Amino acid sequence: MASIEPMRPANGALPAAEPNGPLLPSDRGRAPRPRSGARVARPLLWIALVSLIGLIALFFVGRAVRSHAAEPPSIRIPLPAFALTDQRGQRFGLEQLRGRVWIADFIFTTCPTVCPKLTERMREIELRSRDLGGALHLLTFTVDPENDTPEVLAAYAASQRLPLERWTLLTGPLDQIESTILKGFKIAMGKKESSPGIFSIFHGERLVLVDQEGVIRGYYEANDEGISAILRDAGALVK
């Protein structure tokens, strides 16, 4: 029995297979739909690219910030040697501070206005610089040495809970205090007669940053901006 072969067109190719079922009117002329995997892959690719660009931008911004923070302050004012008395009654001065960056402020213990705020700001510096450890020291000079004896300074430190392993309070003879603060730090201090027979003490309110060699590297306001700046510069000097 002869086999029946499908009719071939003139070019010899088999005719296209008929679909399994009849074409609906809505199917005629419709392009084939892309697979669902392709639809999912394209958004994921864009998300990955955007994330990569963001990481690169963060890297360069972070490097720029670190580079800026690493620059030490340019001001340089050599500080004359001094030797005063600390809250323990022991001699303490520039020689004991060699090799350490330090920050100084100037107060008197009976001050009811700005001095408590200065001490609070110095405490904030101490807390925010714990990572620097002993490489950064804090120093408080009294501008009223006639009343602020070592015992008074020790009591003040205790009442304020100051960490004395990183913080020293200094007093001494009035002439030495004046010479150190006025001539050395270039910070104002003194007494003025507010009314007949009544004198009030005045002093500068800026914080002073000093490097490992006893050179003044900057003066800073005791406000948020100034605290951030002095911490940045102190860290640059330490590192």
Side-chain angles (χ1 to χ4, degrees), residues 26-228:
S26 60
D27 291 333
R28 291 188 176 93
R30 177 182 297 176
R33 295 180 180 179
R35 289 176 297 178
S36 60
R39 292 198 301 269
V40 174
R42 185 169 296 176
L44 289 177
L45 177 62
W46 280 109
I47 292 172
L49 286 174
V50 171
S51 299
L52 179 60
I53 293 171
L55 288 173
I56 292 172
L58 285 174
F59 170 78
F60 283 105
V61 169
R63 189 169 69 173
V65 170
R66 290 192 298 270
S67 174
H68 176 70
E71 297 177 2
S74 58
I75 184 174
R76 291 177 177 271
I77 303 174
L79 190 62
F82 63 87
L84 299 169
T85 305
D86 67 15
Q87 73 281 350
R88 302 168 298 173
Q90 298 182 6
R91 184 181 179 87
F92 192 97
L94 197 58
E95 190 61 33
Q96 285 71 35
L97 292 161
R98 293 286 181 190
R100 285 187 286 182
V101 176
W102 48 285
I103 297 171
D105 76 331
F106 310 89
I107 69 163
F108 60 103
T109 60
T110 56
C111 170
T113 54
V114 69
C115 296
K117 296 177 182 178
L118 287 172
T119 298
E120 185 62 31
R121 284 301 195 173
M122 288 282 279
R123 186 188 291 108
E124 178 183 347
I125 290 172
E126 194 278 327
L127 287 171
R128 292 173 60 180
S129 65
R130 291 279 175 89
D131 60 315
L132 300 179
L136 179 67
H137 200 73
L138 304 182
L139 212 62
T140 292
F141 292 81
T142 179
V143 295
D144 184 20
E146 296 169 319
N147 293 305
D148 288 340
T149 62
E151 294 78 14
V152 170
L153 291 180
Y156 180 79
S159 69
Q160 299 295 316
R161 298 182 180 179
L162 306 184
L164 296 180
E165 66 276 6
R166 298 187 68 206
W167 198 327
T168 302
L169 294 83
L170 292 181
T171 187
L174 179 59
D175 60 337
Q176 293 183 27
I177 289 288
E178 288 179 337
S179 177
T180 299
I181 296 177
L182 292 171
K183 297 179 182 179
F185 287 98
K186 317 297 182 187
I187 294 287
M189 65 162 286
K191 291 182 179 181
K192 61 182 179 181
E193 191 172 17
S194 55
S195 59
I198 299 177
F199 294 85
S200 59
I201 298 172
F202 66 89
H203 59 91
E205 300 173 14
R206 292 196 176 189
L207 308 177
V208 183
L209 176 64
V210 185
D211 68 16
Q212 295 93 331
E213 301 301 320
V215 177
I216 294 174
R217 304 303 297 271
Y219 294 84
Y220 304 81
E221 298 288 345
N223 54 25
D224 291 344
E225 183 178 354
I227 298 304
S228 295

